[in-house]
Amino acid sequence: MAKDWTGNSKAVYSTLAASNHSADDRADKDYYCTPPKAVEELLKREEFNHYILEPAVGGGHIADVLKQNGHIVQSIDITDRGYADTKVQDFLTMTKDQLNFSPDIITNPPYSMATEFAEHALDISMDSVKVAMFLKIQFLESKKRYELFKKYPPKTVYVFVNRVNCGKNGIFGKESSAVCYAWFVWEKGFNGFPTIKWIG
């Protein structure tokens, strides 16, 4: 049988969008913005607090959809990318006292810091708060993240059936993505096994 693909190990890692094997330059501070449609799909499936913290707001692609759906959004980012009302702050230094109204947290964190973002979000949140993060499906892998999942198991993982294109440095291209994304949703205090659902 003839092969329909040739390549080497680097090609495999690049296809899976492994950041340390990519032939392309990474986005500035890992800035890959979320398509609004992906946020709309999450809101169809999950109910959230009226107050939301977006701790990696970037250009506001998540925050705008949340506002359009009646949420009040507290927007912070380590870099000011010009989005209105952005407070420049490193989320990983944020304390419980700096949270307004015990908000739910919805974000697409820089992937290189995603584990730290998820753990810190849950550490500083009160019980029953929801944390939703838009992440590569590979987030399920690795010993480091397994330790996170033992401490804070996700309640639901929503896997996109079709590939989703994120915007590198805030710019959406027309090329097809090789990356599979999912919404990982935690509920502080949940202690069980995650439910896997699909977004078709």
Side-chain angles (χ1 to χ4, degrees):
M1 176 183 251
K3 294 181 180 179
D4 61 2
W5 179 85
T6 59
N8 55 28
S9 60
K10 182 175 178 64
V12 172
Y13 286 116
S14 297
T15 299
L16 293 173
S19 59
N20 57 340
H21 292 82
S22 176
D24 298 324
D25 292 334
R26 296 291 294 170
D28 177 43
K29 292 185 173 64
D30 244 359
Y31 177 40
Y32 291 86
C33 63
T34 312
K37 179 67 174 175
V39 187
E40 294 166 3
E41 293 296 336
L42 174 66
L43 297 181
K44 290 177 185 177
R45 293 160 172 82
E46 288 280 342
E47 291 186 6
F48 292 95
N49 193 318
H50 185 58
Y51 297 96
I52 304 289
L53 170 65
E54 216 296 30
V57 73
H61 298 82
I62 292 176
D64 280 344
V65 177
L66 295 172
K67 290 176 182 179
Q68 291 163 11
N69 283 270
H71 294 280
I72 294 176
V73 182
Q74 180 183 2
S75 301
I76 70 170
D77 204 305
I78 199 169
T79 299
D80 185 356
R81 300 189 185 276
Y83 185 66
D85 302 320
T86 297
K87 178 180 179 182
V88 177
Q89 180 176 356
D90 181 352
F91 172 63
L92 297 179
T93 68
M94 196 171 195
T95 66
K96 293 180 180 180
D97 295 338
Q98 293 174 304
L99 292 176
N100 294 332
F101 308 105
S102 187
D104 287 340
I105 298 173
I106 303 177
T107 194
N108 175 357
Y111 192 72
S112 61
M113 300 295 292
T115 305
E116 291 81 0
F117 260 67
E119 184 167 21
H120 187 65
L122 290 155
D123 280 347
I124 65 176
S125 294
M126 296 176 59
D127 279 355
S128 79
V129 162
K130 287 184 178 180
V131 174
M133 295 199 173
F134 186 71
L135 301 165
K136 299 175 189 176
I137 196 70
Q138 290 104 304
F139 191 74
L140 289 169
E141 302 173 336
S142 91
K143 184 175 181 180
K144 179 181 178 182
R145 290 191 283 266
Y146 178 56
E147 294 302 318
L148 167 68
F149 295 146
K150 286 195 293 185
K151 181 179 179 182
Y152 294 124
K155 188 171 185 180
T156 311
V157 178
Y158 295 97
V159 181
F160 283 85
V161 172
N162 298 312
R163 297 300 165 91
V164 177
N165 288 323
C166 288
K168 182 179 178 180
N169 291 319
I171 301 171
F172 290 99
K174 295 182 179 179
E175 67 277 2
S176 178
S177 173
V179 184
C180 179
Y181 285 97
W183 281 106
F184 288 71
V185 180
W186 290 264
E187 187 173 308
K188 181 73 175 282
F190 172 75
N191 186 18
F193 295 103
T195 298
I196 308 296
K197 298 183 179 181
W198 287 265
I199 297 177

